[in-house]
Amino acid sequence: MSEGGQDEDRPGDASAPEGEVARGAGFAVAPGTAKRPGVLVAMPFDRALLARFKESFPTARWRRKLRRWFVPGTTAEQRADAWIAREISALDAYGDDKGRDAYAFEPLESRYLDAAPEALLVRTPYSRTVVDTLRTIPFAAWAPEIRAWRVPWRSYEALKAAWGAIEEAAAANEPEARRARREATRDPAAEAERRRRRHPVPRGDPPPLGAAVEAAGAGVVVFEALDDAPLAETEALAHYPAITAPGPLVWAWWRMPTFGELTETVPAAAADAPDRGWWPATRAGLEERRRRLRENTRARETRVKKDARAKRAVMQAGMDPGDP
């Protein structure tokens, strides 16, 4: 039938496209493709609803095989979500009141959840599991101004169903929990060896000096010097299990690269010979080193600001900063 025919307008039971997320009340959205940006929209069959949809999205086209409407455009998802939210609000004008009543009858009690008058607010330590789970909650949205996820009351039942996974992931990412996991896996001898900033490399196949390369266990570094004599500390080699290349090994001494050196480095497609302990820096390795350098820079800036504030406080109190 034609594009606006009844049979084609009915959603049917076609398998959901990859990445489709339910929005509630029979609505769902799925991303388009990089070649054709846009969003696929599934919705309940209703002639009046369909008429409003076509009025709001005149360029939308029916995809027969997927039995969904395709809305083109780079902002299609935001526009479709806003339209769906309005329609659901009209379909269930008392949805928020029902959610508040459900919460009053069986409240979720958690340090990660605040019940505000206009919506539920979820604040947790960062966790990819939490983010991915909240994205499945209808109309949940990140509010950067309050650094929290805002979940409308009408989505309370969906939030309650997923809350176990959210709370478990949040607790696992508390600073104390992460610190405990690090302590459980600490190897003081390996940490002491790493602080020496040396790395065994084959004497016959050493890394280039002064260039950013990747080293097993150390990430992207810059080697500055090589020893002449083969290394004799065989016990230290236990901390470098990835190195299996034959032949004598020598110590190579390294330092952290600068942002400029990382920018100038052309990434390799893959590690060419990981058994020798070093290889040309890959894209993933360079991105990881940039991320860590940014974290270290922010940490140093935070310490400097904290020290400056403490010094100003002492000065304002009329005390000598050198006094005990």
Side-chain angles (χ1 to χ4, degrees), residues 146-303:
I146 59 174
R147 299 193 61 79
W149 282 82
R150 186 180 283 117
V151 181
W153 282 102
R154 72 192 60 185
S155 300
Y156 174 66
E157 292 295 344
L159 179 65
K160 185 172 68 173
W163 190 252
I166 293 173
E167 192 164 42
E168 181 181 355
N173 282 274
E174 288 286 355
E176 297 81 4
R178 293 199 305 268
R179 191 178 304 115
R181 289 195 296 271
R182 286 196 300 268
E183 289 296 326
T185 58
R186 276 194 62 195
D187 184 344
E191 292 175 2
E193 174 61 32
R194 178 174 170 79
R195 285 194 294 271
R196 302 186 72 171
R197 297 202 170 191
R198 63 182 186 178
H199 201 278
V201 298
R203 185 167 64 177
D205 191 8
L209 301 182
V213 297
E214 207 160 340
V220 175
V221 298
V222 174
F223 286 101
E224 293 187 302
L226 296 170
D227 284 354
D228 293 328
L231 62 90
E233 301 164 85
T234 55
E235 292 183 2
L237 289 177
H239 301 300
Y240 305 92
I243 301 174
T244 58
L249 300 174
V250 298
W251 287 120
W253 304 87
W254 57 266
R255 62 168 172 82
M256 288 293 180
T258 65
F259 280 111
E261 288 170 328
L262 295 178
T263 302
E264 295 170 359
T265 302
V266 178
D272 58 352
D275 61 325
R276 70 185 175 193
W278 71 270
W279 53 89
T282 62
R283 185 179 302 277
L286 290 169
E287 290 177 352
E288 175 65 14
R289 179 58 72 202
R290 287 192 192 96
R291 184 185 68 82
R292 289 183 175 273
L293 286 178
R294 285 193 294 267
E295 289 179 351
N296 292 340
T297 300
R298 285 195 296 267
R300 284 195 299 271
E301 291 173 350
T302 300
R303 287 195 297 269

Side-chain angles (χ1 to χ4, degrees), residues 44-187:
F45 176 72
D46 177 83
R47 289 191 180 277
L49 177 66
L50 179 60
R52 293 193 298 272
F53 176 80
K54 289 182 176 180
E55 182 179 357
S56 298
F57 303 100
T59 59
R61 294 293 179 266
W62 177 252
R63 294 290 178 84
R64 182 191 297 270
K65 291 183 179 180
L66 296 174
R67 305 193 71 78
R68 280 154 177 81
W69 288 89
F70 177 75
V71 180
T74 56
T75 62
E77 183 173 1
Q78 293 91 325
R79 292 185 289 118
D81 276 343
W83 180 83
I84 291 171
R86 290 194 299 270
E87 289 296 328
I88 290 182
S89 179
L91 290 171
D92 187 5
Y94 302 102
D96 286 340
D97 289 338
K98 291 177 182 178
R100 292 188 184 93
D101 290 343
Y103 178 83
F105 180 74
E106 189 178 356
L108 278 175
E109 296 181 356
S110 172
R111 57 177 171 165
Y112 304 119
L113 182 68
D114 292 326
E118 71 284 357
L120 294 153
L121 303 178
V122 180
R123 291 186 178 90
T124 71
Y126 176 78
S127 163
R128 173 52 58 184
T129 299
V130 170
V131 172
D132 290 344
T133 304
L134 283 169
R135 283 176 174 168
T136 68
I137 305 299
F139 309 113
W142 172 251
E145 69 278 6
I146 59 174
R147 299 193 61 79
W149 282 82
R150 186 180 283 117
V151 181
W153 282 102
R154 72 192 60 185
S155 300
Y156 174 66
E157 292 295 344
L159 179 65
K160 185 172 68 173
W163 190 252
I166 293 173
E167 192 164 42
E168 181 181 355
N173 282 274
E174 288 286 355
E176 297 81 4
R178 293 199 305 268
R179 191 178 304 115
R181 289 195 296 271
R182 286 196 300 268
E183 289 296 326
T185 58
R186 276 194 62 195
D187 184 344

